[in-house]
């Protein structure tokens, strides 16, 4: 059982940068692909980015490509989401997720394909 705890969410202004962290425990961290999803009020949970266990391959949602970057530190059992040039439409609860084998294709962006979830951290971007 993998336990995930996100942190770093807060109120920021449009154009600001913010880094989210997700600390993992309960498993061998490098054996898990990690992902970030987000959920705005009234919307479905949406895929943001994912990274393989080794950190060698990264996948992005088109909406954040060029602005957000996922990374991981396997020595610290932590995955990060660096968010730059934030926009009001980035406002959401951001969730960290883990899965043993990164799903391929469209399954990667399906929340039901991921095994473990954190409790979420709120990011609010004011205009």
């Amino acid at each position: 059982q993998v336990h995930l705890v996100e942190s770093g969410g807060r109120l920021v202004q449009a154009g600001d940068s913010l880094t989210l962290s997700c600390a993992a425990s309960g498993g061998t961290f490098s054996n898990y692909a990690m992902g970030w999803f987000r959920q705005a009020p009234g919307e479905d949970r949406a895929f943001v980015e994912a990274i393989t266990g080794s950190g060698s391959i990264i996948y992005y949602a088109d909406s954040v490509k060029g602005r957000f970057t996922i990374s991981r530190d396997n020595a610290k059992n932590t995955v990060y989401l660096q968010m730059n040039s934030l926009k009001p439409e980035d406002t959401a609860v951001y969730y960290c997720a883990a899965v043993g084998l990164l799903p391929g294709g469209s399954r990667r962006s399906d929340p039901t394909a991921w095994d473990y979830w954190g409790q979420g951290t709120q990011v609010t971007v004011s205009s």
Side-chain angles (χ1 to χ4, degrees):
Q1 185 76 11
V2 177
H3 185 57
L4 303 173
V5 179
E6 302 95 334
S7 61
R10 61 182 176 91
L11 173 64
V12 297
Q13 293 187 334
D16 283 354
S17 296
L18 188 65
T19 299
L20 305 181
S21 300
C22 172
S25 60
T28 301
F29 185 62
S30 60
N31 287 349
Y32 292 89
M34 301 298 296
W36 286 97
F37 287 72
R38 65 186 182 184
Q39 188 166 19
E43 297 186 9
D44 293 334
R45 193 167 296 189
F47 172 78
V48 177
E49 298 202 14
I51 186 168
T52 55
S54 65
S56 60
I57 302 175
I58 292 172
Y59 298 92
Y60 300 86
D62 289 341
S63 59
V64 304
K65 193 170 185 177
R67 298 190 300 123
F68 291 9
T69 301
I70 191 172
S71 62
R72 65 190 297 158
D73 186 336
N74 286 346
K76 295 182 177 179
N77 289 358
T78 302
V79 63
Y80 306 95
L81 185 66
Q82 172 68 42
M83 303 184 292
N84 298 325
S85 303
L86 281 162
K87 305 175 182 179
E89 51 263 43
D90 295 319
T91 295
V93 178
Y94 283 72
Y95 295 92
C96 173
V99 65
L101 182 63
L102 187 62
S106 62
R107 285 279 292 162
R108 189 179 309 121
S109 60
D110 181 354
T112 65
W114 294 75
D115 295 327
Y116 303 101
W117 293 87
Q119 81 291 347
T121 187
Q122 176 70 48
V123 174
T124 303
V125 185
S126 64
S127 57

